[in-house]
Amino acid sequence: MSTTRALPTKTAKRETTVQYVLSRLRQLGVKDFFGVPGDFAFPISDAICADKDLRFIGSCNELNAAYAADGYARIRGLAAMSTTYGPGELGALPGIAGAYAEHVPIFHITGQPTRATQLAHAVVHHTLGDGEFGHFYQMAAPAVCARTIITPENCVAETERLIAAALYHRRPVYMAIPGDVANQPVIAAATFPAEQQSDAAALEGAVDAIVEAVTKAETACILPGILVARLGLQAEVAAVVDASGLPFATMMMDKTVLDESHPSYIGMYGGDWSDESVRAFVEEGDCVLEFGGLPSDYNTGAFTAKLDRSKTINVMHHRTRVGQAWYENIEMKDVVAALAKRLPKRTDICGPKPSDLGEPKGQGDDGISAEALYPRWARFLEPDDILISESGTNALGMISARMPKGSTFHNQTLWGAIGWATPAAFGAALAAPDRRTILITGEGSHQMTAQELSQFHRFGLKPIVFVLNNSGYLIERLLCKQPDVYYNDLAQWHYHMLPQALGCDGWYCARVATCGELDDALAKAQTCGTGAYIEIVTDRYVAPPLAMKMHESTGTLYKK
Ligand SMILES: Cc1ncc(C[n+]2csc(CCOP(=O)(O)OP(=O)(O)O)c2C)c(N)n1
């Protein structure tokens, strides 16, 4: 999807308000609208279904729709969803909040009762019964970067304002359309927000300062952050890596922002959670050039990262910091383009070689240990795969896997809502049906949103799903004071039977508890040509090394 605004549609043929909104989203590359219909939203759903270029993607519930939209936007750059008033839109709210935290733009449209109903303060379904209709608009506020209630008069201007805000902030927006307004023609009178331009003097100052810092440094490295992917600037930042010859590492939230098969990649950086060679190279160098770095708990190895502010540069979306100096009103894309042209090529700086998970351990009837599981998963990955990794122990294992060329790793590192990954994998698969989508989730997380599996089959998608069944909330066991406390236990489901019950006819399904069974299942999943679903049973405390490091880091994780 282009990051620039497409030209506005001419409104001479007097489109309805909802048609205008849909046509603008279509021009921006959105083809699919996730959601659940409802009477107050019928005009929106009807208009989507009446448009031959758009699809209504019915979800099992609104939370799943929001997560699916999130997964879709991570691949395509923008997503849209539609809900009904009150319970519908509020169901989506936690998913929208997660998208806000993680800079994922979702256009959330909700249908409201008619303006006459609202003016009469009528007591109608989906309300609190108090005759007030503004509550849910208020509740949306902190989870979106812009919101509006549409009228025929404001439709064009407000749609453009919301689109501009979603792209400027890379965050969700909220639009409510009253039932009577939806099918009224727009009364077009709008100014279109101009695309943000960098301040030329500030841009030159920042780029001069960065070139000087990198030129003077004896050793230096690049840390490309998640915003690079959200802005679609991967190729441009890769050009900076190539032009400068600098090694690069990524923090946890940023994994695969640049290709891990690139010769300049040195591995994951996260303070004391990194390989010692990477930690020393990044922290003891003279200059760290970050692109949209976020010093969050998990990115910094539970706040153990020691990045001297005077030696770091952070090129943010709309501003840049070089040491202690801020350069305002400059766009990341412009700084990146200038750096690719102006940074000197450093052939004298060599970083450590990235580690990988090594040879898988175990065979035959051996139980499935962490040393057996994670290297096998890493080897299973192929070029261009989309890997959706749920919060939980699996993510802390897979973060250390070296990803093949063109493959991307997705995790909700900051918001960390369990249940996100299953619908997000569906959204990602729908966004890129030609790529292989692999979902890895813990069974506790999967219990939250497992019904969305049914959508893969419904829309002809063939994911490979791994459910890690370790009899409870392992990551919580490793974080809390009494690991065996019963609140970390779960109802035991027959997970491998879920696809069958949920209508995923013809899928390859297996439950494996030994290395031999796992090898067999991996081979079948690779070749079966259908969706695949593998429940992997391990002992309760089987955890990858990074999860054990996290277990040992609770002091710094919670006591900053
Ligand atoms: C919506 C939500 N509720 C609760 C939590 C707290 N939480 C974090 S991880 C976790 C357990 C994950 O367990 P599971 O998916 O089985 O993975 P495991 O760590 O056992 O491999 C919970 C309950 C959360 N992050 N999000």
Side-chain angles (χ1 to χ4, degrees), residues 392-393 416-418 442-445 448 468 470 472-476:
T393 51
I418 62 168
E443 92 280 32
S445 308
M448 293 209 162
L468 178 57
N470 47 24
Y473 295 143
L474 175 54
I475 197 88
E476 296 227 318

Side-chain angles (χ1 to χ4, degrees), residues 12-29:
K13 63 177 158 65
R14 308 264 290 165
E15 294 167 295
T16 65
T17 59
V18 71
Q19 283 170 342
Y20 182 81
V21 175
L22 299 184
S23 71
R24 286 294 290 124
L25 291 172
R26 189 181 344 93
Q27 288 165 11
L28 290 164

Side-chain angles (χ1 to χ4, degrees), residues 208-220 286-287 343-344 346 348-349:
D208 285 350
I210 296 170
V211 171
E212 189 189 337
V214 172
T215 308
K216 279 207 306 219
E218 264 183 43
T219 64
D286 303 319
C287 178
L343 278 178
R346 298 292 302 260
D348 55 329
I349 301 179

Side-chain angles (χ1 to χ4, degrees), residues 100-102 171 253 294 296-298 411-417:
Y100 185 95
E102 304 244 334
R171 288 191 147 137
M253 192 171 180
L294 182 73
S296 67
D297 47 5
Y298 285 107
N411 169 255
Q412 213 190 35
T413 314
L414 178 61
W415 184 247

